[in-house]
Amino acid sequence: MGLPFYGHGVDSLPDFVNYRDIINLTKYTKKWDDEAKIPYMTNEEGKLILCYEDSTSIAIKCDYIIDKGLRGVMYWEYYCDDDNLTLIQAVYYGFYK
């Protein structure tokens, strides 16, 4: 399963937004899509502006991989993670908890 360390934006955001930049977006509202199991952000009108992965969605995906007996995960654009390596650690702890 692939895990991007960036988000996809629309409207005023670029199509590709690093996770390190996403965590600093303060003018948008963070929400959770319980069906897709991912966070997203909306603008003040409630319009979707960004979808992305976070440590919670990665943990859920790691559980899914283990439960289904899949062979593993890959992530790309690891440089998009924050300085604390939040997403890389989520992958690690998702498999070695």
Side-chain angles (χ1 to χ4, degrees), residues 31-75:
K31 296 190 176 183
W32 180 258
D33 183 326
D34 200 42
E35 187 171 339
K37 306 295 187 212
I38 61 166
Y40 65 98
M41 290 184 174
T42 60
N43 63 14
E44 26 195 56
E45 291 87 36
K47 184 176 176 186
L48 173 70
I49 58 105
L50 179 70
C51 295
Y52 62 100
E53 299 283 351
D54 66 3
S55 59
T56 302
S57 64
I58 288 174
I60 291 169
K61 288 177 174 78
C62 288
D63 287 343
Y64 178 85
I65 290 165
I66 292 166
D67 290 346
K68 297 298 181 185
L70 302 177
R71 300 296 247 167
V73 65
M74 68 154 242
Y75 53 85

Side-chain angles (χ1 to χ4, degrees), residues 11-26:
D11 291 341
S12 61
L13 292 174
D15 182 47
F16 177 95
V17 184
N18 293 334
Y19 179 73
R20 69 176 56 248
D21 296 328
I22 291 170
I23 59 175
N24 293 316
L25 293 174
T26 58

